[in-house]
Amino acid sequence: MNDEVAGISHTKDTLIELAIRFGPRLLTAALILVVGLFISAWVSSWLTRFLGRRDLEPPLSRIAWALCFLIFALMALQNLGVELLPLLAGLGVVGAGVALATQGVLSNIVAGLSIIFTKPFRVGEYIAIAGVEGVVESVTLFNTTLGHVDLSRVVVPNRKVVGEILHNYGRIRQVEVNVGVAYDTDVKLVVDLIRAVLLANPRVLQEPPPVVQPMQLGDSAVSIAVKPWVAVQDQVAATGEVYAALLVELRARGIVMPLPQREVRLIGERA
């Protein structure tokens, strides 16, 4: 019984001694971490507003938060008496090994930073890159996500974006419609009719002005190119609406849209 009491008393004395020796350091380290959290959040928020004014993508604010909090964490460890030089040396060795094992990930991060700073495209723009295309939905440090017209999503690693030929359509697309009319048709009348149809469609943009002009003299018809600009999200719907409206108007005006014809002549017959 006396041994148990002595053990409890010894443990209590040890805890009190540790609390006296390390308590202030622990409290100071905790205070440093709390202050670090607040300052890191403030830096991240300020950087987000700063990047927004300069049209840069937001992932940099998260990097700034991590770096700022890391500085305060190192300060807290130093306050606890941890030797930072051996720790940093060990982290350096571990970091070198991780870098070798994750070369693809690091290349994506470097490429993501390049995209964020050079801004070859922005969220909401329609691009074609690395054999795929779609509307840019998000840009992160690791990949770029595109929204396809079939409502699917295409995730492209950033290292596949940097260094490739990029076609940036912006936020508008040019619809391509072809109309074939008979050779004896008044082409000017047809062009004016097409322009009126485009003007009546609310999806068709008037700036830049639509392109409407004869493009080819075919075997049986004069081909007229109709190329208006529409918003990216309206491309499919506008194409169908323009075709339907042109068909109705051309039929109503009695304008002939000849079918492809072939003339076959028999030169002679074998006996």
Side-chain angles (χ1 to χ4, degrees), residues 77-97:
L77 290 175
Q78 187 177 22
N79 181 76
L80 290 175
V82 177
E83 292 292 337
L84 294 182
L85 187 59
L87 177 62
L88 294 177
L91 289 177
V93 174
V94 174

Side-chain angles (χ1 to χ4, degrees), residues 56 74 165 180 198 216:
L56 291 174
L74 292 176
I165 297 176
L198 297 179
Q216 184 180 9

Side-chain angles (χ1 to χ4, degrees), residues 20 24 34 49 51 73 87 113 116 127 162 164 234 264:
I20 294 174
V34 171
R49 295 192 300 270
L51 295 176
L87 177 62
L113 290 174
I116 291 171
I127 66 172
V162 175
E164 294 286 339
D234 292 336
V264 180

Side-chain angles (χ1 to χ4, degrees), residues 183-196:
Y183 271 90
D184 58 354
T185 304
D186 186 348
V187 175
K188 184 179 182 305
L189 175 64
V190 175
V191 169
D192 292 340
L193 176 62
I194 293 174
R195 291 188 182 278

Side-chain angles (χ1 to χ4, degrees), residues 126 135 170-175 202-205 228-238:
Y126 194 96
V135 179
R171 298 180 183 273
I172 61 175
R173 291 293 305 273
Q174 191 175 31
V175 173
R203 299 184 192 270
V204 174
L205 304 177
W229 274 270
V230 299
V232 168
Q233 65 271 16
D234 292 336
Q235 181 186 10
V236 176

